[in-house]
Structure formats: structure tokens, C-alpha cells
Amino acid sequence: MKGMAKAAGDHLSGSISTIAVRILLIAAMLALPLTGAGTGFIQGLNNSLFAKRFEWAPRKATGNIVFVAIDKRSLDSVGTWPWPRSTYATLIDKLTASGAKDIFLDVDFSAFSSKQEDDRLAAALERFGGGVLLPVFRQQETASSAETAVTRPIPQFLRNAWPAFANVAMDADGIVRRLDLGSQFDGNPTQSAAAALGRVDRSAGSLLVDYSIRPDTVPTFSLSQVLDGTVPADAIKDRSVVVGASAAELKDIFAVPVYGAIAGPLIHVLAAETLLQNRFLRTLDQAPLELLFAGMLIIGVVCGRSAGLITVAATGLTIIIVGEVGAFLLQWRYGLLIGTAVPWAMLMLAWMLALNERVNLGRMLVAIANTEVRNTRRLMRRIIADSSDGVIAFDSDLKIVEASESARTILRADVGASLLGGAHPAVIDVVRRLASEYDAQPSKIHTGLVDFSDNRGSRAVHYEASVTISPVEQTNAHATAARSRFAGCLIIRDITARHEYEERLKRLSELDELTGLLNRREFASRLTALHGKVFVCVLDIERFSSLCATLGRDVGDELLKAVAARLRYAFAGDLVARLDGGHFGIATSAIDERPIERFANSLLALFDEPVPIRGAAVPISVRLGIARSGEADPGALPNAAESALDAARATPGLRWSSFDPSTAVRQARSRRLEQDMHDALQNLQFFLLFQPQIELANGQLVGAEALIRWNHPEFGLISPAEFIPIAESSGLICDIGRWTLFEACTEAAAWPAELSVAVNVSALQFERSDIEADVREALFSSGLPSSRLCLELTESTFLDQGGPSIAKIGALRETGVVIALDDFGTGYSSMSYLADLPLDKLKIDQSFVRRMNGNPNAFEIVRAIISLAHGLHLQVVAEGIENEPEAEALHRLGCEMGQGYLFGRPDDPARMLSKWSVEELLAAEV
């Protein structure tokens, strides 16, 4: 009887267990479509399946985007990183010459470099014509803040380039699967680099990258190949170019599906290729279909109890194969990403449900779980014992429960010993602190991290210790006792190699890689920490660029090392740095009150002897700029010394100069004017005055010369002698000259038909701009006949490129404009050039005119110039005529036209015409 009761109880218990498992499995199947898709495991499985489908159906890139890689070869070729910005300027010019459609420079330009380097890159951007994309990045202002800010290139670069967002966002698993199409930048919608290169209009939302496009099919060249000209122009022409880092040293590498890890710029290329190939990947809400599939599976299992397990398994396998093939085809042909992890998980639950209908699954699962627990305990003990890191498990009494062999060696303690007996004091402090925190909050896991060092013989070993204290479940313990129980884990890792690497990186960040001296940033930083009086000197190797061009870059590097060695030896214990190029910085104490002249002479004397390089003695000359403490803030002393160096280089024969505040003020004014000049054209600060040109034979007005002036809102009227050289050095002379040409033609078109207008053309403007196209456009837009426009050129226009310049002048004359050679006699004045130039007029410089009547030699020079011009069938215009005797003498010598204060100062065109045209020309017409 008892046996029958026990059997009945077991049967009832088994039935209840089977029903409970059935309900749990069905509930899980119905819950998966609603909650499963958001779990990390399901997402990870779906992402792995998406990646496999990409891998099974590879695609080739269109070839419309070229990747120019900053690779190891480029780093070795160019040298010190970060590169000087002139390198990028040269790259842009090379790509421009090859016919690149547009360029994305995936390089951070948010910090200022030297003015010369920034100007060269800005000029290259201007020459390309605005087709360069520069990266902007949206990032958190601080690590703990939700506020974001946009890191952008310096304004000087953005004037001739387009901003493009270049953020690369990773998913929770650290893999990059999508890129944003754009964001807000200064209140304006701005595209990402991928959207701009992919030729789409959208600047919001994100894009799933199609990783079936193989990166190895993207045309890729080393940046060094582009610089040395070995890349064929056809490989670049009419293509977009992405320039960015691929070298592992630059750490711009991201994990992606299919290909493991690739360079960040290449991700932008693949995203742009996704857009170019119209591969707009998309997903859909699968929950309704998955719920329907779950219901069908439940019905199928319940109704198919009589089917064998092999049949059930075969049916499930067939569903998986058909489903995966369908998902693959949808992703391959239509870009539709179908997540199959949830359906297959439900299929697995359906298999377990079918199994539960045939066996007591609950008991089997309990047995499996118990076996797994035992195996897990054995495995954890083995892992702890064999771990290369020191792993220690300890209890709430701080007794060691388990310990790896390496931990026993480090702590010199074994299982059963107290953790406090052998651990480092820093580790003990962390353990005690975490134990106190656990007492206050026993339901939480508490962790701590600490570094400590230990001496092993003559070598210091550095460790990182991670301590974790976790609550332990107590089933029968008293509440107070349960609160004090915990399990602790201590992991000790040897970080000696990492510590040494970080120290090496710190040293590299402070030193110049070539010479081993301090770099500019570290030099300025340490200078602020100096106390007392110091001399700060900036030393420049004269003609360093020419030496490198003549002897080779390798010899130039050897020269820099030799100079650095002499400075290091002479100034042992002082601050010595290589600032950039052939510039060195020295900061030395001035407490002995030695005169600055003695310091300068002693430094110059270091280089009286030639520098031995590769068995040859190379003589070098240096110039110095010196500043003393008190003349500027400590951090600004290098700039003050460089200002003094500029003054020394500007004075022939001067080998050194000390800081002069007035010179610095002039240099600061020049920099300010250069900055303000960018906006002066747009704000209508420039204006034209006109100086009359008179026919000496009859005293009639025949035309006027247009002279530009600048009315600065703060400084007032600024002389052209001051701002024109600044405009030429910055390249803005092309824009200013073009404005002058258009403005002068527009004004002269309203004058009487017999009056002409003369416009000066800078040599830089003539060389860099399409002057012929500008002249045609100015004449067309103003309606001025070409015969009434005279372009005045100086001899420097054609000195460097005689043939091409002469051909360009000839093309201008074919449009009908008059060409005059300005300031004749003050420049090169080569007779061979004069014979070849297609000219109409020759202008005698005012320096000869003013000395003509009092200086027989000057008079004969003027006579010879006029005779020479007439022999070449050229009209002669004399500048700077200030009195009647000068005008009469020039007329007797045969000079046709004159210009100067005798006839009128530069004036407003209306006042000039009221004096000449209204009073004389108009009266003559009546």
C-alpha cells in the first residue's frame, strides 16, 4: 500500500513538473518577440548573422572614391608627427594638379600651428577653390557632462573649405555599424563626410554601412606616393579623395563587422560607397510576424505530439535553412536586414517543448544544472590556479580561500593565510575601505582599483590590483550575520611593460624625435616654471631649406643633429629645444648680469667652425633673436625672441637682434591687418581714388590711374605701402586686385568716351589668377571698351617666368586692352626682356623725374628712356611731375603723357572729372 502511494505521489509530482515546464516554455516563446530583440545576446546574434550575409555576397567599390593613406611608409618618409601643415598644402596642390573632384582631409586642424605653416595650408585650400572638406567633431565638453561641443578647424581654414562631421560612433559592443548623415553646426544643418562624398542631400539621421562592399576594392595609395608624384593622374582625376590615417601608430582603427578592424577614414569611404551604390539598408518591426510564428510553433508542437523527435528536428532544421536563405536574399537584393535570432530561439524553445511532452524535462534540467555547477566549480579552481594574473578569492574574514600560483608568489602567502599579512599596504587600504562600504550598503557590489610597485632585485615591477567585494546569499543566517558576509576577489596584474610604454610615450611627447631636444610645447611649458632672470634665444640656421635642397634631406637631418649636439654641450643644464625646421630655442640663466652682446657673441662663436657631416666640413651661419625675462610674460618669451629674429633677418648683415617692443607692435599690427583684410572687401572698406593723366602737348585730360585705399574702421586710412605687401604675402592680393579691376572699369564706363583708366596688376595676381578671364568679365559687366583699359605691370611680373608671362601678356593685348610697363628703370630693366615684351606704354619712375632738372645724369637717363621707348614704338608716361619746369622738360624730350601733383592728387572720380572733364572737355564739346 505504501509503495502504491509513493508511486502515485511521484506520478503526480512528475505531472505537475511537466505542466509547469510547459507553461514556462510557452510563456518564454510568447515573450521573446516582445522583449528578446532588445537583449544584448539576441542583438549580438543578429549582428553576427548580418555580417555573415555581407561576407557571403561581397560587392566591389565603385572606384569613384580614392583613399590616400597616412601609412607607415608615409610616416617614415615625412618624418616627425604631427606633420607640418605645409605637407598637407603640398598634398592638396598635387591632388589639384591631378584633377581631384573634391578632397576630405580626415585630420584634426582645430589647433593653431606656426603662422607660416597655417598660411601655406590656407593658401592651398584657396587655390583648390573650396572643394576641400575638413572634419568637425561633436563631443562631450567634459567626461561627466551631457553637454556637447563641436571641435572645428581654425577659422582661417574654414574660409576656403567646407565643414563635414567626421564622428565615428560605436555600438554597445564596440563595433561600428552605422554613421550619422549630419548634425547642426553653428545653427546650420551640416552633412557628414560620408553624406557629402555620397552625393545625397540629407543631413540628418543615420546610415547603416553596407559591409558587403570590400575595402580592398577601394583604390588606395600611400600619401608618400602622391607627394613624390608616382601616382598616375588618371587614378585621381574626377574622383573624390579621402585622406586619413591607416598606420597603427596613429590609433585611428575601429572594429567593424566582416573585416575585424579597419582605419577610420576607410569607414567613411565605405559609408559613402553605400550611398553611391544606393544600398540604403533598412530594418522592420518583426514583432507581429514573430508572434504569429510563435503561435504556429506552439500549435504545431501541441498537435504533433505523435511525431517522432527526428521528424521534429528535421522540420526545425528545414525551417532554419529556408529562413536563412530567404533572409540572405532579402539582404543581398533589397538591403532589408531580417533578424532571425528570435525565430531560431523560439524554434529552440519549441524543440524543448516537444521534448517536454515526451520526457520529464524538469528533472533532466535539474540534473544537468547540478552537473554544470560542479563542473563550473572545478573549472573556476583550475582557471584561478593556472591564471597568469594573480587571482585570490577571500572571505569576509579576509582569509585566502583560493589563490593562483602567481598570486602566491607575489603575496608570499598560501590558502588559509590572512590577506592582510602579505598584501601591499595600498592593497590592504583598498580592501578595508571596500569592506566598510559593504557594511554600509551590503546589497551592492563594491570595486576598487589601485597601482603599486615592488622591487625584484635591481628592477622595479609595477602592478595593478583590482578588488571586488560581492554579497553572498545566506539562506538560514540571521539578518545581522548575513549583512556581514561577503565574497572577495583580488586580481593582481603585472603592468610593468605598460608603465614603461607610458613613460616612453611621455618622453616622446616632450622631445623632438630627430634631435632628442625638447619640442616647442614642452619648451614653453618648462619656461613658465623658471624663476629669476633668463635669456631666451631663438636660433635660425640660415638657408636651411636651400641646404636641404642642395645636399639632400638626410644631410639636413644630420646637420640638425650636429647643431643640437653643440647646443646641448654648450648649454648643459639649461633648456634647449628644437622649435621647428631649422629653428632652435635656448633658455639660460642671466643671474650673472652678463651683457646681452656677450651672450649673443658667445652663441654665434659656437658656429665659427664648420659642422662635420659624413666626412665633409659644412660651414653654416646662424641668426639669433634674443629676449630677456621682464620684457614679456614667461610663456610669451619664445614669441618675443622670434619677433627679434624676424627683425634680424629683415636687416642685411645683422646676425642677432634683441627684442624691441616697438617692432613687436608693428608685427602685431601687420598680423591684425592681415586678419581684418579678409572682411575688408565684404564690408566695403576699400575704395578707389583716381589721379589724372595729362597729354603734355595740349594739357588735356586723357585718362586716370585707379589707386586703392583702405579706410580701416579702427585705424583709419591705411597707406597702400603698408597693406599691399601684407596682401601679397597672404595671397589676398588676387581678390583685392580683381575687385580693383571691376570697380575701376565700372567707374570709367561712365566717363567721356575719350578717357581711359589705368589699373595696376600685382605680379602675384598676374601669376596666380586667370587675369585674362577677369579682364574679359570686367569689361563685359561694365560695358567699358577694351581700348579704354590700361593694365600696368612691373618687371617682377615676368622675371621668374618670362616665356609664360609674355604669352599671357600677348593674350591680354589680343582682347584690345593697353599694356604699360610701370616703374621702368628701378628694377631689373633688362633690354632683352624689353625687346620681347608686347607693350604699348612705358612709365618712367618718379624718382628720375624729380631729379631730372637738378641732376644731369638723371636728365640723360630720362632722355635715353624716352628715346628707347620711341625706338620700340611705345608711348611714354612720366610719373611724379610736380612743377611746370619738369613738365616742360619732359615735353621737349618727346614724352607724350604726364601724371603727378602738378595736375592733381588722387581724388574722388566726381571731383576729378569736375575739374577736368566738366570745365575743359565738356566745354570743348559745346
Side-chain angles (χ1 to χ4, degrees):
M1 181 67 70
K2 292 181 179 180
M4 292 177 62
K6 183 178 183 300
D10 290 344
H11 176 74
L12 179 60
S13 175
S15 299
I16 293 173
S17 175
T18 301
I19 293 172
V21 171
R22 178 189 303 160
I23 293 173
L24 288 174
L25 290 173
I26 292 175
M29 292 175 66
L30 295 175
L32 266 177
L34 302 176
T35 62
T39 63
F41 173 76
I42 295 296
Q43 286 181 343
L45 187 55
N46 277 331
N47 288 332
S48 298
L49 291 171
F50 295 154
K52 277 298 178 185
R53 295 169 197 157
F54 284 140
E55 188 176 353
W56 292 336
R59 298 172 184 272
K60 290 184 178 180
T62 61
N64 293 329
I65 302 177
V66 175
F67 178 38
V68 175
I70 304 176
D71 53 9
K72 183 66 166 60
R73 174 179 174 182
S74 302
L75 293 177
D76 293 341
S77 174
V78 175
T80 304
W81 181 267
W83 288 343
R85 288 176 177 171
S86 55
T87 301
Y88 300 108
T90 303
L91 173 66
I92 292 174
D93 289 338
K94 293 279 188 180
L95 295 175
T96 302
S98 298
K101 183 188 296 183
D102 44 31
I103 303 170
F104 170 47
L105 277 179
D106 192 10
V107 179
D108 185 7
F109 294 117
S110 59
F112 287 92
S113 179
S114 68
K115 180 180 181 300
Q116 181 181 4
E117 292 293 324
D118 287 345
D119 288 346
R120 290 187 64 179
L121 180 54
L125 294 171
E126 180 182 3
R127 287 193 295 272
F128 191 76
V132 176
L133 302 175
L134 295 182
V136 296
F137 305 92
R138 183 173 298 281
Q139 53 191 2
Q140 289 179 308
E141 291 187 346
T142 62
S144 59
S145 172
E147 297 294 327
T148 61
V150 175
T151 300
R152 66 191 71 200
I154 62 176
Q156 183 179 4
F157 297 158
L158 280 181
R159 292 190 184 100
N160 292 289
W162 293 97
F165 278 95
N167 291 82
V168 177
M170 295 179 288
D171 289 347
D173 58 357
I175 295 178
V176 179
R177 295 185 176 87
R178 63 176 65 237
L179 288 183
D180 290 339
L181 292 173
S183 184
Q184 291 290 319
F185 176 58
D186 289 343
N188 299 315
T190 301
Q191 290 187 312
S192 67
L197 296 172
R199 312 294 178 186
V200 296
D201 295 331
R202 294 167 56 187
S203 59
S206 61
L207 167 75
L208 284 167
V209 181
D210 186 357
Y211 285 105
S212 66
I213 302 172
R214 290 166 46 200
D216 58 353
T217 63
V218 175
T220 302
F221 302 99
S222 172
L223 187 142
S224 62
Q225 292 179 290
V226 178
L227 292 180
D228 60 27
T230 58
V231 178
D234 290 344
I236 303 295
K237 186 176 181 182
D238 297 330
R239 291 174 170 85
S240 299
V241 178
V242 173
V243 180
S246 68
E249 295 91 331
L250 301 183
K251 299 182 179 179
D252 193 11
I253 305 296
F254 295 90
V256 298
V258 183
Y259 310 109
I262 61 176
L266 199 52
I267 297 177
H268 293 294
V269 175
L270 294 181
E273 285 283 351
T274 301
L275 294 172
L276 290 176
Q277 298 188 30
N278 293 320
R279 291 285 294 169
F280 293 94
L281 304 179
R282 60 194 186 280
T283 58
L284 53 82
D285 183 8
Q286 300 178 205
L289 294 176
E290 290 170 348
L291 281 171
L292 177 62
F293 183 61
M296 295 172 63
L297 287 177
I298 293 170
I299 294 172
V301 170
V302 172
C303 296
R305 292 177 180 174
S306 59
L309 288 178
I310 295 178
T311 302
V312 173
T315 302
L317 184 60
T318 302
I319 294 174
I320 291 174
I321 293 173
V322 172
E324 278 301 320
V325 170
F328 167 74
L329 293 175
L330 289 173
Q331 183 170 323
W332 173 44
R333 297 293 299 274
Y334 305 106
L336 186 61
L337 303 182
I338 302 297
T340 55
V342 169
W344 305 158
M346 291 190 297
L347 200 60
M348 181 60 66
L349 291 174
W351 163 254
M352 295 174 65
L353 181 61
L355 189 62
N356 185 66
E357 297 299 314
R358 292 158 176 80
V359 298
N360 192 333
L361 187 58
R363 292 182 178 178
M364 184 177 70
L365 292 177
V366 170
I368 292 173
N370 290 333
T371 303
E372 287 294 326
V373 168
R374 289 192 296 271
N375 290 337
T376 300
R377 288 175 179 171
R378 294 191 189 99
L379 179 61
M380 290 304 298
R381 288 193 181 98
R382 177 50 57 192
I383 290 174
I384 291 174
D386 296 343
S387 174
S388 59
D389 293 334
V391 181
I392 293 174
F394 59 92
D395 59 19
S396 54
D397 295 326
L398 304 184
K399 298 291 185 181
I400 299 175
V401 178
E402 295 285 347
S404 67
E405 189 62 36
S406 54
R408 294 171 185 170
T409 303
I410 295 171
L411 297 183
R412 302 177 182 88
D414 208 336
V415 174
S418 173
L419 181 63
L420 303 181
H424 191 274
V427 177
I428 294 173
D429 291 342
V430 172
V431 171
R432 285 175 171 168
R433 175 175 59 82
L434 295 179
S436 299
E437 292 178 359
Y438 177 82
D439 287 340
Q441 294 179 305
S443 61
K444 292 185 177 181
I445 297 175
H446 301 269
T447 62
L449 193 68
V450 65
D451 292 347
F452 65 94
S453 301
D454 192 11
N455 291 322
R456 295 294 175 86
S458 60
R459 180 171 178 264
V461 182
H462 302 275
Y463 296 102
E464 176 186 78
S466 173
V467 184
T468 303
I469 289 181
S470 307
V472 176
E473 292 186 10
Q474 300 288 328
T475 56
N476 299 317
H478 189 271
T480 303
R483 186 179 298 116
S484 65
R485 307 301 296 175
F486 61 77
C489 178
L490 169 63
I491 300 176
I492 303 175
R493 178 166 296 166
D494 188 335
I495 58 169
T496 303
R498 188 181 78 186
H499 184 273
E500 292 174 351
Y501 178 71
E502 289 173 351
E503 288 294 317
R504 180 172 175 269
L505 284 182
K506 183 176 182 294
R507 289 194 300 272
L508 290 176
S509 69
E510 297 173 349
L511 303 180
D512 174 62
E513 184 178 359
L514 179 66
T515 62
L517 301 178
L518 298 177
N519 57 31
R520 174 184 286 273
R521 182 181 61 255
E522 188 64 18
F523 180 69
S525 174
R526 295 193 186 185
L527 193 58
T528 58
L530 292 181
H531 300 287
K533 297 181 179 179
V534 294
F535 287 142
V536 175
C537 174
V538 174
L539 178 149
D540 173 49
I541 303 174
E542 291 193 64
R543 302 182 300 105
F544 177 68
S545 297
S546 300
L547 286 171
C548 291
T550 303
L551 303 177
R553 174 59 63 180
D554 292 343
V555 175
D557 290 346
E558 301 251 354
L559 175 61
L560 292 174
K561 292 178 183 177
V563 171
R566 285 195 183 184
L567 293 176
R568 187 187 291 110
Y569 178 78
F571 294 94
D574 294 322
L575 299 183
V576 184
R578 181 188 173 209
L579 304 180
D580 55 58
H583 287 178
F584 293 84
I586 303 105
T588 183
S589 173
I591 56 175
D592 57 357
E593 301 297 337
R594 53 179 161 172
I596 193 170
E597 294 85 354
R598 195 172 73 187
F599 169 70
N601 291 331
S602 64
L603 185 50
L604 290 170
L606 290 177
F607 300 96
D608 288 343
E609 296 295 327
V611 176
I613 298 176
R614 298 186 178 181
V618 179
I620 63 170
S621 178
V622 300
R623 289 183 191 250
L624 311 177
I626 306 173
R628 290 169 285 197
S629 54
E631 295 177 339
D633 293 334
L637 282 174
N639 292 335
E642 288 181 329
S643 174
L645 177 62
D646 290 339
R649 288 188 297 196
T651 306
L654 187 63
R655 298 191 66 190
W656 70 274
S657 176
S658 60
F659 174 66
D660 181 5
S662 61
T663 301
V665 169
R666 289 195 299 271
Q667 293 171 342
R669 175 181 168 94
S670 296
R671 288 192 293 269
R672 168 70 185 280
L673 292 179
E674 180 179 345
Q675 294 172 356
D676 294 349
M677 205 177 296
H678 288 278
D679 300 324
L681 276 174
Q682 297 179 0
N683 297 334
L684 304 179
Q685 295 174 13
F686 289 111
F687 64 95
L688 295 183
L689 297 179
F690 294 85
Q691 187 172 31
Q693 294 179 334
I694 308 302
E695 190 168 349
L696 296 178
N698 53 26
Q700 289 187 351
L701 180 71
V702 294
E705 180 179 0
L707 301 170
I708 190 170
R709 297 291 186 267
W710 184 5
N711 186 14
H712 192 280
E714 181 178 343
F715 303 138
L717 288 175
I718 300 175
S719 168
E722 181 179 7
F723 73 78
I724 290 297
I726 297 174
E728 289 182 332
S729 66
S730 65
L732 287 172
I733 192 65
C734 296
D735 293 333
I736 295 174
R738 189 174 189 271
W739 176 87
T740 302
L741 175 65
F742 277 71
E743 193 75 8
C745 289
T746 302
E747 177 62 40
W751 297 353
E754 56 268 36
L755 298 184
S756 63
V757 65
V759 179
N760 288 287
V761 178
S762 162
L764 195 67
Q765 177 190 0
F766 187 86
E767 175 189 351
R768 293 186 179 180
S769 66
D770 190 348
I771 187 67
E772 184 182 353
D774 289 344
V775 166
R776 292 183 185 275
E777 186 178 351
L779 293 174
F780 177 78
S781 62
S782 65
L784 181 72
S786 60
S787 59
R788 293 176 57 193
L789 174 62
C790 175
L791 300 181
E792 296 188 356
L793 310 174
T794 60
E795 292 166 290
S796 59
T797 303
F798 50 85
L799 280 181
D800 293 333
Q801 299 182 358
S805 296
I806 292 173
K808 188 181 287 190
I809 294 174
L812 284 170
R813 284 193 75 205
E814 290 179 2
T815 66
V817 302
V818 178
I819 305 295
L821 182 61
D822 197 10
D823 297 337
F824 184 77
T826 61
Y828 188 69
S829 301
S830 168
M831 297 301 105
S832 63
Y833 274 123
L834 194 59
D836 295 334
L837 288 175
L839 300 173
D840 299 290
K841 293 181 181 180
L842 187 147
K843 297 189 73 174
I844 303 175
D845 185 71
Q846 59 184 344
S847 62
F848 294 111
V849 174
R850 291 174 182 172
R851 293 182 295 159
M852 184 176 63
N853 285 335
N855 188 327
N857 292 334
F859 183 86
E860 290 302 324
I861 290 175
V862 172
R863 181 203 299 273
I865 292 174
I866 295 174
S867 175
L868 175 65
H870 288 164
L872 296 174
H873 307 291
L874 304 178
Q875 287 185 318
V876 181
V877 182
E879 294 181 304
I881 302 175
E882 297 186 351
N883 52 57
E884 289 290 349
E886 291 174 352
E888 292 175 1
L890 288 166
H891 177 54
R892 288 197 306 272
L893 290 176
C895 179
E896 289 87 353
M897 287 178 285
Q899 176 181 340
Y901 287 174
L902 175 63
F903 310 113
R905 293 175 178 269
D907 205 348
D908 177 82
R911 285 194 293 267
M912 182 198 70
L913 290 176
S914 68
K915 178 180 178 181
W916 291 94
S917 300
V918 174
E919 294 177 3
E920 298 181 15
L921 288 175
L922 295 181
E925 292 176 1
V926 174

